[in-house]
Structures are given as structure tokens and as C-alpha cells.
Amino acid sequence: MNGGVMMAERKAGLLQALRTVLSALFGVRRRSTHDEDVAGLRPIQVIIAGVIVVAAFVLAIIAFVQFVATR
Amino acid sequence: MEATHVHGAGHAHGGDHAHHPKGIMRWITTTNHKDIGTMYLWFSFTMFLVGGVMALILRAELFQPGLQFVEPEFFNQMITLHGLIMVFGAIMPAFVGFANWMIPLMIGAPDMAFARMNNWSFWLLPPAGILLTASMFVPGGAAGTGWTLYPPLSIQMGIGMDMAIFAIHILGMSSIMGSINIVTTILNLRAPGMTLMRMPMFCWTWLITGYLLIAVMPVLAGAVTMLLTDRHFGTSFFNAAGGGDPVLFQHIFWFFGHPEVYIIALPAFGVVSHVIPAFARKPLFGYTSMVYAIAAIALISFIVWAHHMYVVGMPVAGQLYFMYATILIAVPTGVKVFNWVATMWRGSLTFETPMLFALGFLFLFTIGGFTGLVLSNTAVDVQLQDTYYVVAHFHYVMVAGALFSAFAAVYYWLPKWTGHMYDETLGKWHFWLSFIFFNIAFFPQHFLGLAGMPRRIPDYALQFTDFNQVSTIGAFGFGLSQLLFLYIVLKTIRSGEKAAAKPWEGATGLEWTVPSPAPYHTFEEPPVLTEAKGHA
Ligand code: HEM
Ligand SMILES: [Cu+2]
């Protein structure tokens, strides 16, 4: 695929995708930041970011539980 | 589509073509999304009445302590069939019916993507409904396990249990095919210019629900198939004597069961996200964040299932994990409520029947959500598990949530379907009777649960009598009010006033650009969307 172009955009893209997903978990966000993020994002990026965030979310809760429950 | 101009809607062909069969064969062979949507809705309403009669049998028995009308075994069967029929026969098909009717109209598609499969998805339902209801009359009667079908009981029951398993298989196939159809239609058949982020919210909720269904219906099918092989083919998945584990079933069931709650709730959110803006005459507040939040809710719904299992014997760490996760999932869900309230903020509101039902939804679903939060707390749930508090909680979510939103949808789109307006006065009566009787029936159940009355029990201790009598009176009132609904719909079809193409001043979207009733074929030529701003 068009690897070169993708590589250039990718770094910012993933961060923005993560930001989009995190704000989705909260539920509302400012229109301007949303427009910024969405402009360059492809759906697949958001989906991957979503799965990553959910996995991180699960791990974070587990870590917290370990912290609380092992004392 | 606010400020969207549409060309081409007028090209829709009116009336029937000569080449499709008449009479009953029309319905059996139809591949038309409107016919199929109509059949889904009538099927759903029929099942709603059947499940409703079962509920009233339960409530009649619970009017007084002691046994008056039915045997305990039969009571258990009624519980099971009521739960299964309401969830899989009434609520889910109702929303698939709305999807069939409205999604092609909303996205400017001529029909569903797989029109023949659509016919098959529908026609699988009646056999499943018949299997469930007929299982009452076989030796040993219907399954008496409750709709959750937990082993070991579900391994011991008679042939009625096999019929329920088979019915669930069929219903599952129907749901999977239906969702493949909906997802494909939404992804591939949108009119040019209708990008995903301009798509009406109802389509978004169904797109995500479709994926949820495709993900979890096979899980349920697997669980009941394992039951079936445990019952008849010598396996021991859930049989401790053979090295299996009955708790495994609960994990699999609720891995399906919790997303199922959102399968029911999300399309209801979609409906409300159309009705509230239409009657507030303002666009939906926070469209994009709503889309993302709904996707987030769907994803997280997979990681909270064991909040239904706090008392089966879990390590404390497990209980804590599921408690925290469940409490956190409430955040995006709660924010939706603020979205709808903000949509109404400073809008010019009017309170026609669809809006009343949407507001009833908003108000009562929020109560159901709060009691859900209460139950998500492990320490509290250990007390309330399997009490009437839980029954109250999920009826606030399913009846006042999903069912009220379905009523809102029917009143909102009935003019489009039938070409006639419903009787507004009667509609308002239907709402207020439903709203008041619903609360009379279910609010006291919170008190019963807090006082310790167990669920799925035909008899109870004397101190619970008063609230049970109130609840039964409310339930019969609620049930009778639904006959008024049937009357209203029939009256609308027969003799309602002629409806305009867009009977609601504040309504937006492509579905209102075609005449009422919507012609048999619409958008054979895709409409042309000319203004880039705004969503439904
Ligand atoms: C006329 C309205 C309704 C009334 C009076 C009613 C009444 C009841 C009663 C008395 C029970 C048994 C509670 C127990 O002892 O555990 C029950 C259970 C249940 N109901 Fe309803 N119900 C109504 C509508 C609905 C609807 C629309 C749904 C939709 C999704 C629904 C879903 C359920 C479920 C899932 C159960 C649990 C069954 C089980 O324990 O296995 N109900 N209902
Ligand atoms: Cu759950």
C-alpha cells in the first residue's frame, strides 16, 4: 500500500486516534478538537486505538485491584 | 438532513407493480424491506401480547401470598417463557422491524442489501415463537429455569427445554442474518454524499448493534448447544459429576447477556435521538461524540459480564474488577442522558405522543440506570441479588427504556408507514396510562426487593402482601392500556386523517422527503444530497 505517505502521517494519527477514543469514553468533547482529530483519521485507526484502550483499561483496573486487594 | 435538498424522491413509483403475488403469498415471498418491516412489527406485537398474558398470570398469582391459581412448576415455566418471549420475541424484533422500515429510507437506499435473506430472517421467527409457546403443552411442560437457563436445572428438564434450546438457535440465526443485512446495507448502500458522519443516529446505533449481535449471538448459540450435548450426547461441560463446571455456563451466558442489554438499549437510544430533536426543533446535541460514545459503550460492554455473578463464588479481586469496570461503563451511558437534555435546552418544545414516550424513556431509563449502578456495587448486590429489586431494575430498563422508546418510534413513524395520522388524544391517553400504571406496577418492587422478597417465587411471606397487591393492580392496568395501543394503531390504518409527507415540523432526514404512505419502492434512483452541513 502507499507506505510512504502513511508512515509520515502515522505517528500523529495514532496519538489523535487515542485521544478520540479516550474522549469517547468520557462521552462529550469540544467540537474544534474533535474536528482536528477526525480530519486525518481513518476508521481502522480508531478501531485499533479503541481495542488498545480497552485492553489498557482492563489492565489498569486489574492493576488497581491488585493494589487495593493485596493489602 | 437539515437544509438538505433532495432530488429524485419524486421519482419513486407509487403503489403496486403487477408482478408480485397477492394475498398471503405476497407476505410469504416478499423481499421488500417495508413488507418485512411490517411483518416484524406485527410479530413483535403479537409476541408482546403473549408474553404480557404470561406476565399477568405471574402477577395474578402474586396478588396474594399462598398459591391461588397456578402450580409452582407452571409458575416457573411462565417466568421462563415470559422472559425469553419478551426479550427475543417482542423487543428485539420490534427494533429490527424499525431498522427494516427506516434504514433504507434514512440512507436513501432502494432496499436492504440482501433482500432474500431478509425474508428468511423474518420467517425464521414464527417457528421459534411457536416452539416456545408450544413447549408449554409437551410432557413436563416448558423450560422452568428462568430465561438464563442455568444448569444443573437446564440439564434435568424435559423436552420443553430442548424446544427452548432449538428456538434460541433459530432466533440466533435470524438475528445474525438480520444484522449482517443491516451492517451491509449501512456500509454499502448509502446515497452518494451521505458520509458515515452525516448518517442519522438511528443508523449509527444499528450499525454498532449489528456488530454486537454478530459477536455475541454465536456465543449464546454455543452455550445452549453445550447444554444440548450435555443433555443428550454424554458430554459434561456443565456437569460437575463428569468433571465439568456449571459456573462455566454462567460465564458464557453473561458474556452474551451483558452485551445483549446494549443490543436492546442502543437502537432505543437511536430512536430517542430522532424524536427529541424533532420535537425540540433543534439538532441533536453532540452528534459526533454521541457516535463515539456509543461505540465505546459497545466495546466496554464485553468486559463487565460477571457483575451478574457476584455471589457464585469469585475471588475478591474478581469482584472488585467487575465492580469498577461496571461503574465506569456508566459514565458514557450517563453522558447520553445529558446529550438529550442539552438537546431540549432552550428548544421550542411540543409534547406530541412520540415526544411524551421519549421523555418517559429519558426519565424512567435514568431511574433504571441508577438502580443498575446500585446493583453494580458488589457489597450491595450480595444483598439484592435474586430479589425483586433486580426485577424492578431491569423492567425500568427494558419496559420503560426499550419498550417506551419503541412506542415513541411507532407514533413517530406511523404516519410515514400508513399515510394516516394517529389520534393524538388517544395517543396521549396511551402514554399517561402506560406511564402511571408502569410505575404503580414496578416502583413498589424496589421496596419489596430491599425488604428481601426473592424473585422467581410464586408464594411469599405475609409482610410483602401490600406492595405485591399494588404491583399486580399496576400490571393489569398496564396490560390493558396496551389494548388501547392496538386500537389506536388499527384506527390509524383504517381511518386516520391523511398525513403529510413530513407531518412533524421539526423532523429532519430523507425519510420525510418521500410521500406518506411511503410508496412500495423508494429511492430506486439514489437521492442527491446537496448541502454538506447537518445531520438528522
Ligand atoms: C406488562 C408488562 C410486564 C409485566 C407485568 C412483567 C412482569 C414480570 C414478572 C412478574 C416477572 C417475574 C419476576 C420474578 O419473579 O423473577 C418478570 C420477569 C421478567 N421480565 Fe417481565 N413483565 C413485563 C414486561 C416485560 C418486558 C417488556 C420485558 C422485555 C424485555 C420483560 C422482561 C423480563 C425478563 C427478562 C424477566 C426475567 C425472567 C426470568 O426471571 O428468567 N418483561 N416480568
Ligand atoms: Cu450486565
Side-chain angles (χ1 to χ4, degrees):
Chain A
M1 288 201 284
N2 49 350
V5 187
M6 265 174 58
M7 289 305 280
E9 287 176 355
R10 188 131 164 245
K11 222 175 200 159
L14 192 61
L15 268 184
Q16 285 181 333
L18 287 175
R19 244 186 12 184
T20 302
V21 170
L22 286 174
S23 58
L25 287 176
F26 177 62
V28 275
R29 74 189 301 205
R30 198 183 296 278
R31 151 127 5 231
S32 56
T33 42
H34 164 263
D35 288 345
E36 250 167 57
D37 283 1
V38 165
L41 287 177
R42 282 170 302 131
I44 187 75
Q45 289 175 303
V46 182
I47 292 170
I48 292 173
V51 174
I52 293 174
V53 168
V54 170
F57 183 74
V58 171
L59 291 176
I61 302 177
I62 291 176
F64 184 69
V65 167
Q66 289 305 326
F67 170 71
V68 184
T70 52
R71 278 192 301 177
Chain B
M1 294 277 108
E2 216 182 347
T4 296
H5 300 278
V6 176
H7 310 287
H11 302 316
H13 294 217
D16 295 339
H17 287 288
H19 56 254
H20 63 81
K22 298 274 172 218
I24 182 79
M25 282 317 279
R26 159 175 172 195
W27 298 100
I28 292 179
T29 61
T30 183
T31 55
N32 180 287
H33 71 104
K34 301 185 182 86
D35 281 354
I36 293 175
T38 305
M39 290 196 294
Y40 263 105
L41 293 173
W42 279 112
F43 174 82
S44 153
F45 189 72
T46 312
M47 284 290 124
F48 175 63
L49 292 185
V50 173
V53 168
M54 292 172 169
L56 295 184
I57 292 173
L58 300 171
R59 278 319 320 169
E61 178 57 52
L62 291 168
F63 188 64
Q64 289 179 347
L67 297 178
Q68 287 83 38
F69 300 108
V70 295
E71 297 295 313
E73 292 76 18
F74 187 71
F75 186 92
N76 288 346
Q77 297 170 20
M78 286 294 99
I79 294 240
T80 310
L81 290 183
H82 163 73
L84 288 173
I85 286 178
M86 284 301 194
V87 171
F88 294 106
I91 299 292
M92 288 170 67
F95 284 96
V96 182
F98 300 142
N100 263 294
W101 247 104
M102 300 316 294
I103 288 178
L105 288 181
M106 285 178 166
I107 63 176
D111 205 308
M112 298 294 279
F114 305 113
R116 291 187 184 188
M117 187 166 83
N118 203 14
N119 170 294
W120 187 223
S121 315
F122 171 76
W123 280 108
L124 281 174
L125 292 180
I130 291 168
L131 269 176
L132 280 178
T133 27
S135 72
M136 277 191 286
F137 306 105
V138 299
T145 56
W147 84 290
T148 49
L149 310 172
Y150 281 3
L153 196 52
S154 53
I155 297 183
Q156 295 159 2
M157 310 230 76
I159 189 175
M161 184 71 211
D162 297 310
M163 293 169 81
I165 290 176
F166 194 31
I168 289 175
H169 279 141
I170 299 178
L171 290 163
M173 284 192 258
S174 161
S175 292
I176 292 171
M177 291 195 289
S179 9
I180 291 176
N181 220 336
I182 290 170
V183 167
T184 315
T185 306
I186 292 176
L187 291 184
N188 290 334
L189 297 189
R190 276 169 291 126
M194 165 126 358
T195 59
L196 280 176
M197 292 316 277
R198 291 179 67 193
M199 193 165 71
M201 188 56 75
F202 182 69
C203 303
W204 259 113
T205 54
W206 250 115
L207 179 63
I208 293 166
T209 304
Y211 279 110
L212 278 182
L213 273 167
I214 295 169
V216 300
M217 290 314 289
V219 177
L220 177 65
V224 296
T225 308
M226 287 153 91
L227 277 183
L228 193 72
T229 61
D230 270 15
R231 288 167 58 76
H232 297 295
F233 305 111
T235 59
S236 302
F237 292 112
F238 308 128
N239 180 357
D245 182 358
V247 175
L248 172 64
F249 178 86
Q250 301 190 19
H251 280 291
I252 306 177
F253 181 87
W254 287 113
F255 188 79
F256 145 83
H258 191 80
E260 170 70 16
V261 175
Y262 290 92
I263 287 167
I264 289 176
L266 293 184
F269 288 6
V271 166
V272 170
S273 302
H274 284 247
V275 172
I276 288 182
F279 295 94
R281 294 164 181 77
K282 269 181 64 195
L284 184 64
F285 178 87
Y287 170 91
T288 16
S289 49
M290 191 116 163
V291 169
Y292 282 105
I294 286 173
I297 293 172
L299 264 183
I300 318 184
S301 73
F302 285 103
I303 59 166
V304 296
W305 73 91
H307 59 213
H308 297 275
M309 304 168 54
Y310 285 140
V311 299
V312 302
M314 227 193 290
V316 173
Q319 294 181 330
L320 286 175
Y321 165 80
F322 283 106
M323 173 168 93
Y324 295 146
T326 306
I327 292 173
L328 288 170
I329 196 180
V331 174
T333 312
V335 171
K336 300 302 101 220
V337 173
F338 290 105
N339 272 305
W340 294 313
V341 173
T343 304
M344 289 187 283
W345 179 252
R346 300 187 148 185
S348 51
L349 301 171
T350 51
F351 299 96
E352 286 88 344
T353 311
M355 182 64 160
L356 289 176
F357 272 107
L359 292 179
F361 162 93
L362 194 56
F363 186 59
L364 299 177
F365 182 83
T366 306
I367 297 182
F370 273 127
T371 54
L373 264 180
V374 171
L375 290 167
S376 72
N377 186 321
T378 314
V380 177
D381 186 71
V382 168
Q383 303 299 313
L384 293 178
Q385 153 88 24
D386 268 343
T387 68
Y388 256 82
Y389 193 88
V390 176
V391 177
H393 155 67
F394 67 68
H395 283 90
Y396 269 80
V397 178
M398 302 226 220
V399 180
L403 185 65
F404 275 27
S405 134
F407 285 143
V410 170
Y411 285 108
Y412 186 56
W413 287 319
L414 203 55
K416 182 56 60 193
W417 300 336
T418 63
H420 299 285
M421 289 307 279
Y422 62 86
D423 183 325
E424 190 61 60
T425 318
L426 289 181
K428 289 199 164 114
W429 270 98
H430 175 222
F431 170 74
W432 285 110
L433 289 172
S434 298
F435 185 85
I436 292 167
F437 281 125
F438 170 81
N439 283 294
I440 296 178
F442 290 101
F443 207 79
Q445 295 183 0
H446 292 112
F447 308 137
L448 287 170
L450 288 169
M453 178 174 158
R455 71 187 271 210
R456 296 178 173 168
I457 287 287
D459 184 7
Y460 50 83
L462 291 182
Q463 71 267 28
F464 300 131
T465 311
D466 294 349
F467 281 136
N468 269 299
Q469 300 197 325
V470 173
S471 176
T472 296
I473 292 170
F476 274 83
F478 186 86
L480 291 177
S481 314
Q482 305 323 312
L483 298 179
L484 175 61
F485 174 63
L486 177 63
Y487 173 76
I488 295 172
V489 172
L490 292 177
K491 185 169 173 235
T492 312
I493 296 173
R494 297 251 168 97
S495 61
E497 233 174 85
K498 184 100 192 62
K502 182 156 99 68
W504 312 117
E505 185 196 4
T508 54
L510 286 179
E511 68 269 36
W512 306 110
T513 63
V514 301
S516 298
Y520 199 63
H521 297 287
T522 36
F523 298 128
E524 285 169 313
E525 317 254 314
V528 181
L529 306 175
T530 52
E531 163 67 46
K533 288 264 154 48
H535 330 264

